[in-house]
Amino acid sequence: MEATCTVGGLRWGEEEEEELPRYVDVLLGGATAMLPAFAYDVLHVGDEGLGLLRAAPALGAALVALFLAFFPLSRNVGPKMLWAVAVFGLATLSFALSESFPISLVMLAVLGGADQVSVFVRGTLVQLNTPDEMRGRVSSISGLAISASNELGEMQSGLAAGLFGAVWAVALGGIGAIVVTAAWAVLFPELRRAKTFAPQYRHAPKKEGLAP
């Protein structure tokens, strides 16, 4: 029964294209994994600077989360999610090319804030557009996939840094996030057309293998 439920969650979860941009940004935009290299070799700010660099994305995410708590998104949520992922990629690219410590801090804060918008919209869309009997299974699969993509993204960044250097590894990741997000907007028009968080089930789940 547990295996059947897991397979059912995978079948439904793989059709949720709202998840895809989030996987792309963490897989390709691995700036945080390269922060020690930037702190010591690019920006030359030492341990104290590295601590600030590590804190900047979290600060940006916290400020955006606080803003969304009082002024939640309600219109054009799909396009806003896509734009947020594109901003994430652009901020990643800008951070990679920056040689100024203050600018780098700002770009990391923007990166964290954009990621928070993406997480907010994606999580809400998935929760509201997944049938009640599938919501727990899809949420667990989503959490597992995001955790794995974080680790894979850091591995990708490390491999790319070994081949091209830390700056180009992060820059190429930012460019990749922008390009893939643009492709997602074309390939999945449902995301562009998602105006509100109102549930819009595109089709009913198959009964086979999806019994609670």
Side-chain angles (χ1 to χ4, degrees), residues 45-129:
V45 293
D47 296 341
E48 294 80 4
L50 175 59
L52 294 176
L53 291 173
R54 295 287 291 182
L59 176 62
L63 291 176
V64 170
L66 185 63
F67 176 84
L68 291 175
F70 291 96
F71 305 98
L73 301 178
S74 58
R75 295 184 297 176
N76 297 320
V77 295
K80 286 176 181 177
M81 181 182 70
L82 291 172
W83 277 112
V85 180
V87 169
F88 178 95
L90 182 61
T92 300
L93 175 61
S94 300
F95 168 76
L97 300 179
S98 171
E99 296 182 355
S100 166
F101 182 56
I103 292 177
S104 296
L105 288 175
V106 171
M107 289 301 101
L108 286 173
V110 171
L111 178 155
D115 189 45
Q116 182 62 40
V117 173
S118 171
V119 170
F120 174 82
V121 176
R122 171 191 54 80
T124 306
L125 283 174
V126 170
Q127 290 293 313
L128 295 180
N129 284 276

Side-chain angles (χ1 to χ4, degrees), residues 13 27 61 70 77 139 145-146 154 209:
L27 279 172
F70 291 96
V77 295
S139 296
I146 290 175
E154 293 187 357

